[in-house]
Amino acid sequence: GDLVSAAPHQLVYRPGRDITVMFGARISWGGLPAVDETLIAASSQRGALPGTVPIEAGDLHVDVWRYPFDPMLPGLASAVTDTSVAALLNTTVERVQLQVVSFRPCRRAVVRVQRSDGDDLYLKVVEPAEIAGLLDRHAALRAVGLPVPEIELVDADAGHVVSRALPGRDLRTVLCEGSAPLPRPTDIAKIVEQFAGADLMTHTPV
C-alpha cells in the first residue's frame, strides 16, 4: 500500500514506560483509490514489538502497525469483526452490531455487542497473560458487594472476556445530558468505601 496522508489524532503517554500515537491515514492498496485506515506508532520499554514494522531515526526506535492488528492484543481483530463475534456467541451475523467503546493500544479494548435477540454484552480484549488477573479483580470487587458485570464467557487464548451489560445509565451520560437526577453524595461515598474494602493489593489495573 502507498501512504497518501496521515495525521495524529490521539496520543497516550505513560512516563518511563511507553508512548503510542494513533494516526488517521489514507492508504492506496494496489493502486486502488485511497481508503481510511488507522495506523499506530509506539515506542516501549519492552523493546521491539513482534509483528510490526520497525522504523529508526538516529537513536529513536518506533514500531508501526495497522489497526486492528495490535501486537499485544492478538484477539482484537476478531473482536471487531462481526462474523467472528457471532461465532463466539453462537449466533448469526444479522443479530449482532458492534461498537468499539474504547481502545488503548497494546493494553486493552472494549467492544459493545448489541444483540437483537438478547441483552447487550461487552467484549473486553486484553493480553492473554492478563486474563487470570482480570478475573481475580472481578471476584474481589463482587465479594465486597459492588455491582460487577456477570461474565458470560472467557477465551483465555484470545484474551477475550465477555460480560453482560449492567442495567441503568452510567454517570458520564447523566452528567453530560443533565436530564436525570444525580446520585446522592452518600451513595457515591458508599461505592468508594466498597472499592477501598476490596482486596486488590496484589492486582494491577488493566
Side-chain angles (χ1 to χ4, degrees), residues 62-165:
V62 177
D63 295 304
V64 179
W65 67 93
R66 182 169 63 95
Y67 174 88
F69 306 105
D70 192 294
M72 304 309 297
L73 303 177
L76 179 60
S78 60
V80 297
T81 305
D82 53 5
T83 52
S84 299
V85 173
L88 177 68
L89 302 178
N90 194 28
T91 187
T92 61
V93 174
E94 294 77 18
R95 293 179 177 176
V96 298
Q97 183 175 349
L98 309 182
Q99 176 191 9
V100 179
V101 177
S102 67
F103 170 53
R104 293 292 180 91
C106 297
R107 295 178 63 190
R108 66 178 182 273
V110 178
V111 180
R112 182 181 181 182
V113 184
Q114 296 174 290
R115 300 188 296 174
S116 61
D117 57 349
D119 296 334
D120 289 355
L121 301 174
Y122 283 91
L123 170 53
K124 189 165 189 175
V125 186
V126 298
E127 291 185 52
E130 299 286 348
I131 286 289
L134 177 59
L135 298 179
D136 286 346
R137 284 188 291 277
H138 269 253
L141 294 174
R142 185 182 294 276
V144 296
L146 284 162
V148 179
E150 179 182 350
I151 293 177
E152 286 280 294
L153 62 88
V154 176
D155 184 340
D157 292 334
H160 290 168
V161 175
V162 180
S163 60
R164 285 187 176 275

Side-chain angles (χ1 to χ4, degrees), residues 12-20 42-46 105-107:
V12 178
Y13 176 47
R14 295 193 293 174
R17 299 178 65 180
D18 53 51
I19 183 171
T20 59
S43 181
S44 172
Q45 271 197 332
R46 52 175 109 191
C106 297
R107 295 178 63 190

